[in-house]
Amino acid sequence: MSNQILERPKSLTQKQFHYCPGCHHGIIHRLIAETIDEFDLREKTIIVQPVGCAVYIYEYFDTDVSEAAHGRAPAVATAIKRVSKGKFVLTYQGDGDLAAIGTAEIVHAAARGENICVFFVNNAIYGMTGGQMAPTTLPGMKTATTPLGRDVKKQGYPIKVSEMLAPFEGVSYIERVMVSSPKHVIKAKSAVRKAFKYQLQEKGFSLVEFLSACPTGWGMPPVDAAKWVEENMTKQFPLGVYKEVGLDD
Amino acid sequence: MAKVVIDQERCKGCGLCVAACNFGNLRIGENFNSKSYKVSEFVGEDCKGCGFCYMVCPDTAITVYRDEKVEVEK
């Protein structure tokens, strides 16, 4: 007699993801959905969707979802959380959304210590619009707008979001993870679970940064792109916990 | 014993599950799905049900089944 031990989480709809083959968005969606299921939060969750590849997140999550203008998800999430008692509010944002046009919103939401979870997907490129340079593009990395590689003397240095936000007093938890191998997926799941707990215990702002592959934008096969995250992205964006104030038992 | 079932229509043949399986139980087959992706297939004989393939699948195309434990009378 066989038992089904691992299956698609209940908080995801049956809709197929539109993402390119090997894109890590799907893994990250699944981790968040599994955690919503585990904490039995499906009826209480409101996701604020990004602008970018994950803009159709409302098609995939069987929860309430609200749209926000490009980069403004933390501001919209702040409003929702403040007026909706008992709701669980999270934003899901890419690097173009969070680290470029929405820099002011994320900085001030963190500084205010808003009791929301932010899931930040850093793939070092603007995936949806054709692979242009992002604020998180690595030095020397080739993109559609830096065909010779990012020259830090001309295009500046990458923005390290986790390091930038961790010093704010309102921030309760920040960790950078990746999902390029089973071992790291398990660690990432633990980080998602912890971020949920910080909001449930009303400890303030929490953020999990995912280093993510964009095989199409990077022009690599999916397995090579996952290796590239491990070998190159982690040098620029080291994994680990950047802030943790501690949870109640 | 365990087995892996792959939803052929969800699979995009990225090969991440093949790379994650330590026992060589998965491979990209010769079949195409309706979206013209060459899909992954389960060819395992000694699957342990570790779920590594499930963990790295970006399209939630994988379901893992494992046999119930049989209690042995002492």
Side-chain angles (χ1 to χ4, degrees):
Chain A
M1 189 69 182
S2 284
N3 276 338
Q4 199 166 306
I5 56 159
L6 292 166
E7 59 176 327
R8 192 177 167 84
K10 304 269 183 297
S11 293
L12 288 180
T13 65
Q14 290 303 312
K15 182 91 177 171
Q16 280 181 261
F17 296 143
H18 73 284
Y19 304 116
C20 306
C23 169
H24 289 178
H25 269 306
I27 303 174
I28 301 164
H29 283 11
R30 203 198 72 239
L31 293 180
I32 295 169
E34 280 177 355
T35 314
I36 291 171
D37 286 354
E38 278 173 32
F39 286 94
D40 197 20
L41 289 170
R42 197 178 66 82
E43 297 295 329
K44 292 180 181 170
T45 299
I46 301 174
I47 299 174
V48 184
Q49 71 186 76
V51 173
C53 290
V55 70
Y56 298 121
I57 205 167
Y58 59 84
E59 298 258 30
Y60 307 135
F61 277 83
D62 191 12
T63 63
D64 287 331
V65 180
S66 176
E67 176 64 290
H70 201 173
R72 286 19 170 187
V76 173
T78 296
I80 292 172
K81 185 70 185 180
R82 286 186 179 198
V83 301
S84 313
K85 275 205 164 177
K87 294 291 183 188
F88 186 83
V89 181
L90 63 95
T91 73
Y92 185 100
Q93 298 178 265
D95 42 40
D97 191 66
L98 183 144
I101 199 165
T103 323
E105 275 70 17
I106 197 68
V107 165
H108 288 283
R112 292 193 305 269
E114 296 297 339
N115 193 35
I116 57 173
C117 296
V118 175
F119 296 106
F120 168 45
V121 182
N122 174 2
N123 60 11
I125 208 167
Y126 290 164
M128 187 186 75
T129 50
Q132 297 92 340
M133 191 195 86
T136 47
T137 296
L138 274 54
M141 184 175 169
K142 289 180 180 174
T143 69
T145 46
T146 55
L148 301 177
R150 181 176 188 165
D151 180 352
V152 294
K153 287 187 178 156
K154 289 179 187 162
Q155 287 99 26
Y157 292 89
I159 292 178
K160 298 182 178 187
V161 170
S162 292
E163 288 89 332
M164 176 176 75
L165 298 179
F168 287 114
E169 287 169 66
V171 173
S172 61
Y173 172 64
I174 290 188
E175 183 166 358
R176 182 183 286 131
V177 295
M178 61 183 177
V179 291
S180 56
S181 69
K183 180 180 82 175
H184 288 105
V185 170
I186 292 166
K187 281 190 97 172
K189 175 71 179 292
S190 160
V192 172
R193 205 180 277 133
K194 210 182 273 183
F196 271 55
K197 283 184 185 169
Y198 272 96
Q199 183 176 160
L200 292 171
Q201 294 187 9
E202 299 184 2
K203 297 279 188 188
F205 184 92
S206 57
L207 180 144
V208 179
E209 175 176 349
F210 297 88
L211 300 184
S212 169
C214 180
T216 304
W218 298 353
M220 289 181 203
V223 175
D224 293 353
K227 276 189 195 140
W228 199 86
V229 173
E230 293 189 13
E231 289 166 6
N232 296 284
M233 283 190 78
T234 52
K235 286 180 191 151
Q236 186 70 39
F237 302 108
L239 303 182
V241 177
Y242 285 85
K243 178 85 172 274
E244 185 167 14
V245 297
L247 287 161
D248 301 332
D249 289 333
Chain B
M1 283 295 287
K3 69 171 177 174
V4 168
V5 174
I6 298 157
D7 184 332
Q8 302 286 293
E9 284 307 306
R10 285 192 193 282
C11 180
K12 294 178 186 143
C14 67
L16 293 181
C17 59
V18 179
C21 181
N22 293 327
F23 300 97
N25 287 326
L26 294 157
R27 71 174 179 206
I28 300 296
E30 293 303 313
N31 297 328
F32 292 90
N33 67 10
S34 67
K35 295 190 179 71
S36 303
Y37 290 117
K38 260 193 177 179
V39 292
S40 183
E41 59 185 30
F42 181 64
V43 289
E45 291 294 322
D46 62 345
C47 177
K48 308 287 189 281
C50 66
F52 282 7
C53 52
Y54 168 88
M55 286 178 205
V56 299
C57 176
D59 290 287
T60 61
I62 289 177
T63 307
V64 180
Y65 296 85
R66 198 186 290 160
D67 282 351
E68 279 179 3
K69 279 186 183 170
V70 179
E71 294 291 331
V72 180
E73 282 184 29
K74 290 180 183 173

